[in-house]
Amino acid sequence: MDNQYIDHAIILAGILFCLGLVGVMVRRNLLFMMISIEVMLNASALAFIAAGSAWNQAEGQIMFLAVITLGAAEVAVGLGLTLLLFRHHNSVDVDQLNKLRG
Amino acid sequence: MIWAYLYNIVFYASCGVTVVATLLMISRHNAVHALLYLIVSSLSLAIIFYLLGAAFAAALEVIVYAGAVMILFVFVVMMLNQGQRSAALEAAWLPARGWIMPSILASILLALLLLGMNSEHPLQPYGVHGVAVKDVGIALFGPYVLVVELASFLLLSGLIGAFHIARKMPSHMDQNTLDEAGNG
């Protein structure tokens, strides 16, 4: 399908994914890393939506539902881990996690 | 022709707002400011979803990301900032430079929305037929019913996992008890 908007939406998804990846690698605050992971999930959801509308199939939106469910479960568990880290170390700096010897 | 022109404006302005909001978001030092930018980014992504012909996904993006996930983040930010530092942080959150820029980006989105709705021909997905919600539902509960079951498993395990991980340890079961249990 010669639709420039779908191409540009895929490019936007790539840009957003790279921004989220940069956020995960640059920030050392666990909360900001979680937010950046959400951006990466959003970018992959955008790619699924664009591909689904390029082929006029419902599968794109079904995969979007799967991605959004994954994002919700991931954010619940990840924020629970963030709270646990804050209670033990009184900070959310992931560099504090280098002493995981049990 | 004016119609395609309008579509161009709304689509590319939404893309620009998304990228700018995400850039500003990963460069903030304050978690609440970053959350404001994440809301703006989700809203502009919802506009793009609608323009790509996925109106149902656009509604879900607003409800789940700008609604539910954001509330979770806000709760955790509130729980992490207890104690002495909270008053100073509260004062530091108020200055205008924290919320002016998200407000500007959100105003751009509102202007785009009004632009799309108030023209002679309301903005429609362009070049794609769009997949109706009915087709998505039929496919979801027909050949893809396994996805629904997997999603329910995932959400249940996420619920139990979050509850187990983040529970408060009773005082009589602190580190010593755990060490004994680990050694025994």
XYZ file of all heavy atoms in Angstrom, chain B residues 12-99:
662
model
N 1.339 15.304 11.210
C 2.750 15.611 11.466
C 2.930 16.433 12.728
O 3.946 16.299 13.424
C 3.376 16.271 10.242
C 3.499 15.302 9.112
C 2.764 15.426 7.954
C 4.329 14.198 9.244
C 2.854 14.504 6.940
C 4.429 13.270 8.234
C 3.688 13.428 7.092
O 3.782 12.495 6.106
N 1.929 17.286 13.056
C 2.044 18.023 14.319
C 1.957 17.061 15.500
O 2.673 17.219 16.497
C 0.945 19.079 14.412
N 1.106 16.030 15.395
C 1.035 15.043 16.474
C 2.352 14.278 16.601
O 2.823 14.031 17.723
C -0.107 14.059 16.235
O -1.317 14.744 16.147
N 2.939 13.924 15.449
C 4.248 13.250 15.505
C 5.275 14.136 16.196
O 6.039 13.681 17.061
C 4.736 12.930 14.087
S 3.830 11.656 13.254
N 5.276 15.438 15.836
C 6.237 16.351 16.446
C 6.032 16.482 17.938
O 6.993 16.454 18.718
N 4.758 16.588 18.353
C 4.469 16.713 19.787
C 4.927 15.460 20.524
O 5.508 15.535 21.614
C 2.968 16.977 20.003
C 2.600 16.811 21.464
C 2.615 18.371 19.552
N 4.708 14.275 19.914
C 5.129 13.037 20.567
C 6.631 13.011 20.788
O 7.112 12.722 21.890
C 4.727 11.826 19.706
O 3.366 11.962 19.333
C 4.915 10.547 20.457
N 7.379 13.350 19.725
C 8.847 13.268 19.843
C 9.362 14.306 20.835
O 10.219 14.005 21.687
C 9.487 13.447 18.456
C 10.986 13.562 18.587
C 9.138 12.275 17.572
N 8.822 15.542 20.767
C 9.298 16.591 21.680
C 8.988 16.215 23.123
O 9.840 16.344 24.014
C 8.655 17.937 21.295
C 8.916 18.968 22.376
C 9.211 18.430 19.986
N 7.770 15.714 23.358
C 7.393 15.361 24.730
C 8.265 14.228 25.250
O 8.693 14.239 26.413
C 5.917 14.965 24.781
N 8.576 13.240 24.383
C 9.408 12.120 24.843
C 10.836 12.577 25.115
O 11.447 12.164 26.112
C 9.393 11.012 23.784
O 8.040 10.717 23.467
C 10.054 9.779 24.306
N 11.355 13.461 24.243
C 12.704 13.990 24.465
C 12.784 14.725 25.788
O 13.717 14.526 26.588
C 13.065 14.944 23.328
C 13.987 14.424 22.242
C 14.202 15.509 21.207
C 15.304 14.006 22.843
N 11.796 15.607 26.036
C 11.815 16.358 27.284
C 11.635 15.420 28.475
O 12.187 15.652 29.546
C 10.709 17.411 27.265
C 10.962 18.591 26.338
C 9.715 19.427 26.200
C 12.084 19.438 26.894
N 10.872 14.333 28.253
C 10.580 13.422 29.355
C 11.831 12.709 29.842
O 12.076 12.627 31.042
C 9.557 12.404 28.886
C 9.021 11.530 29.955
S 8.389 10.070 29.203
C 9.893 9.237 28.835
N 12.659 12.200 28.896
C 13.822 11.439 29.350
C 14.922 12.357 29.849
O 15.919 11.885 30.370
C 14.376 10.517 28.246
C 14.846 11.321 27.061
C 13.363 9.497 27.838
C 15.539 10.476 26.020
N 14.762 13.691 29.712
C 15.811 14.585 30.189
C 15.402 15.310 31.474
O 16.138 16.178 31.924
C 16.163 15.601 29.107
O 15.029 16.358 28.775
N 14.230 14.971 32.050
C 13.824 15.642 33.292
C 14.550 15.028 34.484
O 14.958 13.870 34.449
C 12.326 15.503 33.519
C 11.426 16.251 32.576
C 11.731 17.697 32.498
N 12.627 17.939 31.362
C 13.093 19.120 31.040
N 12.782 20.174 31.754
N 13.895 19.277 30.016
N 14.701 15.836 35.535
C 15.256 15.304 36.777
C 14.164 14.987 37.784
O 14.408 14.342 38.789
C 16.228 16.297 37.386
C 17.451 16.483 36.545
N 18.353 15.474 36.345
C 17.898 17.535 35.832
C 19.310 15.903 35.556
N 19.052 17.141 35.213
N 12.972 15.478 37.515
C 11.875 15.337 38.467
C 10.859 14.343 37.915
O 10.409 14.480 36.771
C 11.223 16.708 38.662
C 10.301 16.727 39.837
O 9.525 15.804 40.013
N 10.393 17.751 40.636
N 10.514 13.339 38.724
C 9.650 12.276 38.223
C 8.274 12.797 37.837
O 7.693 12.345 36.845
C 9.509 11.191 39.285
N 7.736 13.767 38.588
C 6.392 14.255 38.272
C 6.386 15.010 36.947
O 5.450 14.872 36.149
C 5.874 15.136 39.422
C 4.543 15.731 39.073
C 5.750 14.309 40.675
N 7.452 15.787 36.693
C 7.532 16.470 35.397
C 7.580 15.452 34.256
O 6.911 15.610 33.235
C 8.781 17.347 35.349
C 8.747 18.469 36.340
N 9.811 19.285 36.560
C 7.766 18.876 37.172
C 9.486 20.171 37.483
N 8.257 19.940 37.877
N 8.386 14.394 34.439
C 8.471 13.366 33.405
C 7.118 12.718 33.175
O 6.746 12.414 32.040
C 9.504 12.320 33.806
N 6.329 12.527 34.266
C 5.004 11.919 34.099
C 4.075 12.825 33.313
O 3.291 12.344 32.488
C 4.404 11.615 35.473
C 5.033 10.429 36.176
C 4.390 10.223 37.521
C 4.863 9.188 35.329
N 4.180 14.156 33.531
C 3.352 15.085 32.740
C 3.660 14.928 31.256
O 2.749 14.866 30.420
C 3.609 16.522 33.178
C 3.055 16.920 34.548
C 3.454 18.347 34.867
C 1.554 16.814 34.545
N 4.966 14.829 30.924
C 5.321 14.675 29.514
C 4.878 13.321 28.970
O 4.514 13.197 27.800
C 6.827 14.845 29.321
C 7.265 16.274 29.429
C 8.113 16.692 30.435
C 6.803 17.209 28.524
C 8.502 18.010 30.536
C 7.187 18.522 28.617
C 8.040 18.921 29.621
O 8.414 20.221 29.708
N 4.893 12.289 29.829
C 4.444 10.968 29.366
C 2.955 11.003 29.034
O 2.512 10.390 28.053
C 4.735 9.921 30.444
C 4.414 8.477 30.072
C 5.127 8.081 28.804
C 4.809 7.541 31.183
N 2.159 11.752 29.830
C 0.730 11.882 29.525
C 0.550 12.545 28.161
O -0.225 12.073 27.317
C 0.028 12.702 30.624
C 0.014 11.932 31.935
C -1.384 13.045 30.215
C -0.563 12.717 33.076
N 1.285 13.652 27.924
C 1.151 14.358 26.637
C 1.542 13.438 25.487
O 0.876 13.379 24.445
C 2.018 15.628 26.645
C 1.997 16.271 25.282
C 1.495 16.602 27.672
N 2.630 12.669 25.694
C 3.080 11.751 24.643
C 2.030 10.693 24.342
O 1.757 10.384 23.177
C 4.397 11.133 25.105
O 4.669 9.982 24.402
N 1.373 10.148 25.394
C 0.324 9.144 25.168
C -0.859 9.747 24.422
O -1.421 9.110 23.528
C -0.154 8.576 26.500
O 0.882 7.968 27.180
N -1.247 10.973 24.793
C -2.406 11.594 24.139
C -2.134 11.831 22.655
O -2.998 11.567 21.802
C -2.757 12.906 24.835
C -3.309 12.763 26.256
C -3.629 14.122 26.833
C -4.548 11.898 26.265
N -0.918 12.305 22.326
C -0.649 12.560 20.904
C -0.513 11.240 20.139
O -0.911 11.161 18.979
C 0.599 13.417 20.743
O 1.665 12.845 21.435
N -0.009 10.188 20.819
C 0.009 8.873 20.157
C -1.410 8.397 19.887
O -1.675 7.758 18.856
C 0.722 7.859 21.038
C 2.165 7.546 20.701
C 2.638 6.394 21.547
C 2.315 7.201 19.248
N -2.352 8.720 20.796
C -3.743 8.316 20.578
C -4.302 8.992 19.328
O -5.028 8.367 18.547
C -4.578 8.661 21.801
N -3.949 10.278 19.109
C -4.401 10.958 17.880
C -3.844 10.249 16.656
O -4.549 10.020 15.667
C -3.964 12.432 17.902
C -4.743 13.186 18.973
C -4.187 13.076 16.550
C -4.449 14.650 19.003
N -2.550 9.843 16.716
C -1.951 9.153 15.567
C -2.657 7.824 15.323
O -2.932 7.453 14.183
C -0.446 8.964 15.806
C 0.233 10.334 15.857
C 0.174 8.140 14.708
C 1.661 10.269 16.238
N -2.979 7.101 16.419
C -3.705 5.830 16.257
C -5.022 6.060 15.540
O -5.406 5.302 14.650
C -3.981 5.195 17.623
C -2.783 4.576 18.269
C -2.845 4.116 19.568
C -1.601 4.439 17.577
C -1.741 3.552 20.167
C -0.499 3.883 18.166
C -0.580 3.435 19.463
N -5.733 7.125 15.939
C -7.020 7.399 15.294
C -6.829 7.694 13.818
O -7.571 7.191 12.966
C -7.712 8.573 15.984
C -8.948 9.000 15.248
C -10.084 8.203 15.271
C -8.975 10.157 14.486
C -11.212 8.555 14.579
C -10.097 10.520 13.788
C -11.220 9.704 13.836
O -12.319 10.050 13.135
N -5.803 8.496 13.500
C -5.587 8.851 12.101
C -5.157 7.645 11.277
O -5.346 7.621 10.063
C -4.538 9.953 11.994
C -4.995 11.294 12.548
C -3.899 12.315 12.407
C -6.234 11.767 11.839
N -4.573 6.632 11.936
C -4.190 5.421 11.207
C -5.359 4.449 11.080
O -5.189 3.349 10.570
C -3.022 4.734 11.904
C -1.669 5.422 11.766
C -0.622 4.700 12.568
C -1.262 5.476 10.315
N -6.531 4.818 11.576
C -7.702 3.972 11.393
C -7.975 3.023 12.530
O -8.721 2.069 12.360
N -7.389 3.250 13.708
C -7.615 2.360 14.845
C -8.227 3.166 15.984
O -7.557 3.515 16.963
C -6.307 1.698 15.278
N -9.514 3.488 15.851
C -10.164 4.347 16.846
C -10.252 3.659 18.205
O -10.085 4.288 19.256
C -11.564 4.721 16.358
N -10.486 2.324 18.195
C -10.591 1.573 19.448
C -9.271 1.595 20.194
O -9.222 1.812 21.419
C -11.016 0.147 19.123
C -11.182 -0.736 20.316
C -12.011 -0.358 21.351
C -10.521 -1.941 20.399
C -12.166 -1.166 22.460
C -10.666 -2.754 21.492
C -11.490 -2.370 22.526
N -8.167 1.422 19.447
C -6.850 1.463 20.082
C -6.563 2.849 20.633
O -5.929 2.985 21.689
C -5.776 1.052 19.079
N -7.033 3.892 19.946
C -6.823 5.250 20.446
C -7.521 5.442 21.786
O -6.940 5.988 22.733
C -7.329 6.263 19.424
N -8.775 4.959 21.876
C -9.507 5.091 23.137
C -8.803 4.320 24.248
O -8.659 4.804 25.377
C -10.940 4.599 22.961
N -8.312 3.095 23.915
C -7.627 2.287 24.932
C -6.334 2.953 25.379
O -5.973 2.889 26.556
C -7.306 0.906 24.369
C -8.388 -0.139 24.530
C -7.871 -1.456 24.034
C -8.791 -0.259 25.964
N -5.635 3.594 24.435
C -4.381 4.267 24.783
C -4.636 5.353 25.824
O -3.892 5.485 26.792
C -3.764 4.854 23.519
C -2.539 5.690 23.738
C -1.267 4.874 23.856
O -1.316 3.691 23.521
O -0.250 5.445 24.281
N -5.719 6.131 25.603
C -6.028 7.195 26.562
C -6.416 6.590 27.906
O -5.927 7.013 28.965
C -7.148 8.092 26.008
C -7.579 9.082 27.062
C -6.678 8.822 24.784
N -7.277 5.554 27.874
C -7.796 5.027 29.132
C -6.706 4.323 29.911
O -6.521 4.547 31.117
C -8.971 4.064 28.851
C -10.148 4.836 28.274
C -9.398 3.366 30.131
C -11.253 3.957 27.782
N -5.933 3.448 29.245
C -4.979 2.607 29.966
C -3.689 3.359 30.273
O -3.243 3.381 31.422
C -4.694 1.317 29.173
C -3.643 0.501 29.876
C -5.950 0.513 29.033
N -3.091 4.018 29.260
C -1.799 4.661 29.517
C -1.959 5.985 30.243
O -1.376 6.189 31.312
C -1.022 4.859 28.209
C -0.134 3.688 27.916
C -0.494 2.727 27.008
C 1.056 3.539 28.604
C 0.300 1.638 26.771
C 1.854 2.453 28.381
C 1.472 1.515 27.455
O 2.260 0.442 27.240
N -2.760 6.910 29.658
C -2.908 8.218 30.303
C -3.755 8.117 31.561
O -3.771 9.031 32.378
C -3.528 9.212 29.325
N -4.461 7.000 31.754
C -5.276 6.830 32.945
C -4.645 5.918 33.962
O -4.042 6.363 34.935
N -4.718 4.608 33.702
C -4.403 3.629 34.738
C -2.914 3.570 35.062
O -2.515 3.675 36.228
C -4.891 2.258 34.286
N -2.061 3.443 34.023
C -0.625 3.302 34.267
C -0.080 4.559 34.945
O 0.756 4.504 35.860
C 0.086 3.010 32.929
C 1.578 3.136 33.077
C -0.276 1.633 32.450
N -0.617 5.725 34.505
C -0.147 6.983 35.088
C -0.493 7.078 36.565
O 0.312 7.545 37.378
C -0.799 8.124 34.324
C -0.015 9.331 34.266
S 1.565 8.969 33.598
C 1.084 8.149 32.100
N -1.694 6.593 36.937
C -2.099 6.626 38.347
C -1.153 5.761 39.176
O -0.736 6.144 40.274
C -3.549 6.138 38.482
C -4.499 7.133 37.840
C -3.925 5.963 39.940
C -4.478 8.483 38.458
N -0.763 4.594 38.631
C 0.185 3.730 39.342
C 1.497 4.474 39.597
O 2.033 4.463 40.709
C 0.473 2.494 38.499
C -0.278 1.218 38.833
C 0.156 0.124 37.899
C 0.006 0.820 40.250
N 2.018 5.139 38.536
C 3.279 5.866 38.690
C 3.134 6.968 39.735
O 4.028 7.178 40.563
C 3.703 6.469 37.349
C 4.530 5.553 36.514
C 4.040 5.010 35.356
C 5.815 5.241 36.905
C 4.800 4.164 34.592
C 6.581 4.392 36.146
C 6.069 3.851 34.991
N 1.996 7.691 39.694
C 1.809 8.799 40.636
C 1.756 8.267 42.070
O 2.349 8.849 42.984
C 0.538 9.587 40.266
C 0.160 10.543 41.371
C 0.756 10.360 38.990
N 1.087 7.121 42.269
C 1.038 6.534 43.611
C 2.440 6.209 44.105
O 2.787 6.483 45.257
C 0.184 5.265 43.609
C -1.273 5.543 43.781
C -2.218 4.682 43.257
C -1.696 6.655 44.474
C -3.561 4.936 43.404
C -3.040 6.927 44.633
C -3.971 6.058 44.093
N 3.256 5.607 43.242
C 4.601 5.218 43.675
C 5.447 6.456 43.954
O 6.203 6.499 44.925
C 5.245 4.295 42.629
C 6.708 4.074 42.945
C 4.533 2.983 42.624
N 5.304 7.506 43.100
C 6.044 8.741 43.365
C 5.646 9.309 44.723
O 6.492 9.759 45.503
C 5.779 9.758 42.240
C 6.314 11.120 42.628
C 6.456 9.308 40.969
N 4.356 9.235 45.040
C 3.913 9.743 46.343
C 4.492 8.910 47.475
O 4.883 9.429 48.516
C 2.388 9.734 46.424
C 1.742 10.755 45.539
S 0.034 11.049 45.920
C -0.635 9.436 45.900
N 4.580 7.586 47.293
C 5.087 6.741 48.373
C 6.588 6.881 48.540
O 7.109 6.668 49.631
C 4.742 5.277 48.093
C 3.264 5.001 48.201
S 2.871 3.341 47.730
C 3.226 2.475 49.239
N 7.316 7.243 47.455
C 8.768 7.347 47.547
C 9.210 8.644 48.189
O 10.364 8.781 48.564
C 9.400 7.255 46.153
C 9.285 5.941 45.424
C 10.103 5.969 44.170
C 9.736 4.806 46.302
N 8.336 9.624 48.314
C 8.783 10.940 48.765
C 8.296 11.275 50.157
O 7.960 12.404 50.438
C 8.318 11.998 47.774
C 9.206 12.013 46.563
O 10.407 12.106 46.693
N 8.618 11.881 45.403
N 8.241 10.257 51.016
C 7.847 10.552 52.380
C 9.037 11.101 53.149
O 10.173 11.019 52.717
C 7.337 9.275 53.054
C 6.048 8.803 52.430
C 5.702 7.422 52.890
O 6.561 6.683 53.347
N 4.448 7.083 52.788
N 8.739 11.693 54.301
C 9.811 12.101 55.194
C 10.222 13.549 55.032
O 9.458 14.383 54.532
N 11.470 13.823 55.426
C 11.946 15.206 55.521
C 11.973 15.890 54.167
O 11.665 17.069 54.058
C 13.363 15.210 56.110
C 13.454 14.687 57.528
C 12.842 15.661 58.516
O 12.855 16.851 58.274
N 12.291 15.129 59.590
N 12.356 15.145 53.130
C 12.604 15.793 51.856
C 11.323 16.232 51.179
O 11.349 17.026 50.245
C 13.350 14.848 50.921
C 14.690 14.408 51.464
C 15.409 13.579 50.447
N 14.554 12.523 49.917
C 14.612 12.080 48.679
N 15.457 12.597 47.850
N 13.818 11.109 48.285
N 10.169 15.703 51.628
C 8.947 15.908 50.856
C 8.544 17.377 50.824
O 8.058 17.858 49.807
C 7.829 15.049 51.416
O 7.339 15.608 52.595
N 8.732 18.103 51.925
C 8.311 19.503 51.943
C 9.136 20.328 50.957
O 8.587 21.123 50.181
C 8.462 20.070 53.352
N 10.454 20.111 50.968
C 11.300 20.853 50.033
C 10.950 20.491 48.594
O 10.886 21.353 47.717
C 12.766 20.534 50.308
N 10.685 19.175 48.370
C 10.327 18.768 47.012
C 9.010 19.389 46.596
O 8.845 19.818 45.454
C 10.217 17.243 46.955
C 11.544 16.525 46.837
C 11.326 15.038 46.871
C 12.219 16.909 45.546
N 8.067 19.453 47.534
C 6.767 20.045 47.221
C 6.936 21.483 46.751
O 6.292 21.915 45.795
C 5.884 19.981 48.467
C 4.418 20.131 48.214
C 3.857 18.886 47.561
O 4.326 17.776 47.907
O 2.991 19.014 46.717
N 7.831 22.219 47.432
C 8.075 23.604 47.022
C 8.748 23.645 45.655
O 8.474 24.520 44.842
C 8.945 24.314 48.052
N 9.631 22.664 45.408
C 10.355 22.682 44.141
C 9.462 22.289 42.976
O 9.779 22.575 41.830
C 11.551 21.733 44.214
N 8.320 21.606 43.254
C 7.443 21.179 42.162
C 6.585 22.301 41.633
O 6.075 22.222 40.534
C 6.529 20.046 42.649
C 7.231 18.758 42.741
C 8.448 18.458 42.233
C 6.779 17.592 43.403
N 8.780 17.187 42.539
C 7.775 16.617 43.259
C 5.622 17.262 44.110
C 7.659 15.349 43.776
C 5.503 15.997 44.629
C 6.518 15.047 44.469
N 6.382 23.349 42.436
C 5.392 24.346 42.077
C 5.801 25.298 40.956
O 4.913 25.754 40.253
C 5.001 25.151 43.326
C 3.983 24.431 44.199
C 3.703 25.239 45.447
C 2.686 24.210 43.447
N 7.086 25.670 40.781
C 7.365 26.752 39.833
C 6.843 26.488 38.436
O 6.692 25.345 38.011
C 8.901 26.828 39.821
C 9.354 25.537 40.343
C 8.330 25.134 41.344
N 6.572 27.587 37.742
C 5.830 27.503 36.488
C 6.583 26.731 35.424
O 5.978 26.092 34.581
C 5.532 28.910 35.990
N 7.915 26.737 35.450
C 8.636 26.079 34.370
C 8.393 24.585 34.364
O 8.656 23.917 33.370
C 10.124 26.379 34.495
C 10.727 25.856 35.765
C 12.194 26.243 35.881
N 12.690 25.984 37.211
C 12.967 24.775 37.674
N 12.794 23.737 36.902
N 13.399 24.614 38.901
N 7.855 24.051 35.468
C 7.556 22.627 35.507
C 6.344 22.263 34.682
O 6.316 21.217 34.055
N 5.319 23.109 34.674
C 4.082 22.689 34.001
C 3.766 23.535 32.775
O 2.836 23.214 32.039
C 2.897 22.702 34.961
C 2.688 23.986 35.705
C 3.138 24.279 36.959
C 1.989 25.142 35.250
N 2.777 25.544 37.304
C 2.061 26.101 36.287
C 1.318 25.473 34.074
C 1.501 27.359 36.180
C 0.754 26.725 33.975
C 0.843 27.653 35.022
